[in-house]
């Protein structure tokens, strides 16, 4: 089984010695082992930490008791990864076809569960690599009695291209993954899954030290993944309370050929290296005030929101957008929940 070292980097599973190598000379043995071992020149850089990820018996029992709330994917060769060649049918596991919202890093599930309660007509997929967090999401879903939530226990950056059948599925080299762009591989089983109406990336790990910025999730490669997952006109919502990550997010989405920022030039940040540039959205009224965000506010940090639209794919001009964030009034910053009427997917269906 794969494990992690004390620096929290992935240690790949041991590779068994092939039978033919056991009876061959040293050169043949080395060659056989080399052929059997997975390529190691590009181990994926994780955008999250797994410290304190052990589950107690009670927590582990939550997974066993509620398999219906888990979206199962076959495990991959490294901890938190999935088999790049196989993908489940999302609609079958939800038991219906419905607009899909994908939340990445849901924490304890406060946001996704609140939304699912108020929007039973929407399927909510929460992707969480940290097992204690996934357990809390399941427990919260059970307490709320929601049936339209599923939890995927995996690294979103690696699993989502597989789940949605992108050409970058299984690609660990960032340059090659970026070259794949947002293209769908029609031969991949994940290609049958419908595209998402929205993706949420709220308060991802900011990796504060400059030397760790390469671990940040919101980067050009993941922007291409998000574009491949979203339907035309779909919305990617982001939020962070770490200033230089907010500026990075803005730079990434505005540089991406797949997205339009309807808030370009709006809500400038005087602390921004480009103080007049702006590009930030008003606080989305559908985003609940979580304990995590409240702690950031108490520490004096400023929350930045972004909401960008997926451009129509080639040959599909005129596709209806799911929601136009620019048309929404700026909500009160202390709003904790949104009414059902304000939910974007519900509006798209009406």
């Amino acid at each position: 089984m794969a494990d992690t070292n004390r620096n929290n980097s992935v240690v790949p599973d041991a590779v068994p010695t092939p039978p033919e190598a056991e009876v061959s000379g040293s050169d043949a043995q080395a060659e056989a082992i080399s052929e059997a071992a997975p390529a190691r020149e590009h181990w994926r850089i994780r955008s999250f930490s797994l410290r304190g990820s052990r589950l107690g018996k009670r927590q582990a029992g939550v997974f066993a008791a509620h398999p219906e709330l888990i979206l199962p994917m076959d495990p991959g060769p490294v901890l938190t990864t999935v088999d790049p060649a196989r993908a489940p049918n999302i609609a079958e596991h939800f038991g219906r076809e419905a607009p899909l919202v994908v939340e990445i890093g849901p924490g304890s599930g406060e946001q996704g569960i609140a939304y699912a309660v108020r929007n039973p007509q929407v399927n909510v997929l929460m992707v969480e690599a940290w097992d204690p967090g996934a357990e809390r999401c399941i427990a919260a879903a059970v307490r709320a009695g929601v049936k339209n939530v599923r939890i995927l226990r995996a690294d979103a950056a690696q699993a989502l291209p597989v789940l949605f059948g992108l050409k970058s599925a299984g690609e660990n080299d960032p340059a090659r993954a970026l070259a794949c762009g947002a293209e769908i591989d029609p031969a991949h089983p994940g290609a049958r899954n419908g595209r998402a109406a929205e993706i949420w990336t709220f308060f991802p790990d900011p990796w504060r030290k400059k030397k760790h910025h390469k671990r940040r999730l919101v980067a050009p490669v993941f922007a291409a993944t998000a574009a491949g997952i979203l339907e035309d006109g779909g919305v990617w919502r982001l939020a962070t309370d770490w200033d230089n990550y907010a500026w990075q997010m803005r730079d990434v989405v505005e540089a991406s050929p797949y997205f339009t920022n309807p808030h370009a030039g709006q809500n400038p940040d005087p602390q921004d290296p480009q103080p007049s540039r702006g590009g930030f959205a008003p606080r989305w009224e559908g985003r609940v005030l979580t304990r995590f965000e409240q702690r950031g506010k108490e520490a004096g940090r400023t929350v930045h929101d972004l909401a960008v639209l997926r451009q129509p794919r080639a040959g599909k001009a005129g596709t209806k957008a799911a929601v136009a964030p620019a048309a929404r009034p700026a909500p009160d910053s202390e709003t904790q929940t949104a009414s059902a009427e304000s939910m974007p997917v519900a509006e798209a269906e009406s």
Side-chain angles (χ1 to χ4, degrees):
M1 179 178 180
D3 200 356
T4 55
N5 63 19
R6 65 181 181 180
N7 293 322
N8 205 45
S9 59
V10 172
V11 179
D13 295 337
V15 179
T17 302
E20 63 270 24
E22 296 175 356
V23 295
S24 303
S26 58
D27 290 343
Q29 181 178 9
E31 182 178 351
I33 292 174
S34 176
E35 290 178 355
R40 300 189 181 193
E41 71 272 22
H42 289 295
W43 285 110
R44 178 176 295 276
I45 296 175
R46 284 204 310 240
S47 62
F48 55 90
S49 170
L50 288 175
R51 292 185 181 90
S53 60
R54 290 191 177 185
L55 294 172
K57 289 184 179 180
R58 183 191 62 79
Q59 292 173 312
V62 171
F63 291 123
H66 300 285
E68 74 282 0
L69 294 177
I70 298 173
L71 182 69
M73 293 189 72
D74 293 333
V78 177
L79 193 67
T80 74
T81 66
V82 301
D83 184 339
R86 306 183 69 177
N89 186 305
I90 296 175
E92 284 184 1
H93 282 279
F94 274 98
R96 64 178 184 176
E97 294 276 359
L100 178 68
V101 170
V102 178
E103 182 178 14
I104 298 165
S108 298
E110 294 168 272
Q111 170 65 43
I113 300 302
Y115 186 89
V117 168
R118 294 175 180 274
N119 291 267
Q121 78 284 4
V122 178
N123 291 340
V124 178
L125 175 62
M126 305 163 81
V127 187
E128 179 57 68
W130 189 53
D131 270 350
E135 181 272 333
R136 292 171 190 169
C137 290
I138 293 174
V142 171
R143 287 193 300 270
V146 292
K147 306 296 184 183
N148 56 329
V149 168
R150 297 294 181 272
I151 314 298
L152 172 57
R153 299 162 63 190
D155 173 2
Q158 189 269 341
L160 289 177
V162 178
L163 182 60
F164 288 90
L166 304 187
K167 287 188 175 180
S168 58
E171 183 55 75
N172 286 333
D173 180 355
R176 292 199 293 260
L178 188 59
C180 293
E183 292 185 59
I184 299 170
D185 178 1
H188 194 284
R192 65 189 169 185
N193 287 320
R195 304 299 98 175
E198 297 204 8
I199 298 174
W200 300 341
T201 311
F202 296 147
F203 303 98
D205 194 323
W207 292 101
R208 303 173 186 182
K209 294 181 180 179
K210 187 173 182 179
K211 66 179 181 180
H212 290 154
H213 285 185
K214 63 184 178 182
R215 295 184 177 275
R216 287 176 168 176
L217 176 66
V218 182
V221 172
F222 190 73
T225 295
I229 292 168
L230 281 169
E231 65 187 15
D232 291 0
V235 186
W236 185 12
R237 300 188 186 277
L238 308 97
T240 182
D241 60 0
W242 204 254
D243 287 348
N244 62 21
Y245 199 4
W247 307 328
Q248 176 179 324
M249 288 177 171
R250 184 267 321 276
D251 293 348
V252 166
V253 297
E254 290 192 349
S256 172
Y258 306 110
F259 292 100
T260 297
N261 184 1
H263 300 284
Q266 299 178 20
N267 303 307
D269 177 1
Q271 303 302 318
D272 190 338
Q274 303 175 73
S276 62
R277 180 173 171 183
F280 299 105
R283 188 187 193 282
W284 177 45
E285 66 268 32
R287 184 164 60 75
V288 303
L289 183 63
T290 64
R291 289 171 291 177
F292 181 88
E293 182 180 354
Q294 184 60 44
R295 286 198 299 269
K297 286 188 171 187
E298 291 170 356
R301 295 195 292 271
T302 300
V303 176
H304 293 78
D305 281 72
L306 292 110
V308 295
L309 299 176
R310 175 52 160 109
Q311 298 247 35
R313 289 165 171 81
K316 294 186 178 180
T319 301
K320 183 179 72 172
V323 61
R328 294 187 171 279
D332 186 285
S333 62
E334 296 300 321
T335 300
Q336 295 194 23
T337 58
S339 65
E341 291 77 18
S342 70
M343 293 300 176
V345 178
E347 288 183 359
E349 287 201 319
S350 61

